[in-house]
Amino acid sequence: MRCPFCGNIDTQVKDSRPAEDHVAIRRRRFCPACGGRFTTYERVQLRDLVVIKSSGRREPFDRDKLERSIRIAMQKRPIEPERIDQMISGIVRRLESMGETDIPSKVIGEIVMETLARIDTVAYVRFASVYKNFQAADDFDKFVAELRPAKEDASEG
């Protein structure tokens, strides 16, 4: 594995252990050339996924991009990092098990929204605000109003 600090290709694994509920291996590495330490993750990849953007453009699925967007939505929320890792791995497994290599970005977005809605409402609204391209406070109001259960009229009864 190439050292991200100096480019040396002769790095050493110092420690390996299961990660993300045993769906990945976390490796601590050391570079003897510069003394740098870094972590890598090894995961099973069932198939190479391609994302079909709404413009029709195709790009390789990027787990790191998915992870970044979810971590931004979950920022400062009371969710354990391990739980977030499990959620991301679950989403990727779901995408890989769909049987298709070409997946519309809309499908990925809907799966992420569905998953976030079950875990944290605030993160769900944050992600939705970007995914659905909210332009004004009214967009938030309408979206949040849809989340609230319908209240019965207080004068009835």
Side-chain angles (χ1 to χ4, degrees), residues 75-86:
Q75 206 166 18
K76 296 186 180 180
R77 300 300 303 147
I79 308 295
E80 294 292 322
E82 295 78 27
R83 179 70 179 104
I84 297 171
D85 291 339
Q86 290 171 355

Side-chain angles (χ1 to χ4, degrees), residues 62-75 84 88 127:
D62 183 352
R63 180 193 170 98
D64 293 336
K65 184 175 178 182
L66 173 69
E67 182 174 350
R68 278 191 307 274
S69 65
I70 290 173
R71 288 200 186 277
I72 288 168
M74 300 290 257
Q75 206 166 18
I84 297 171
I88 294 164
F127 185 87

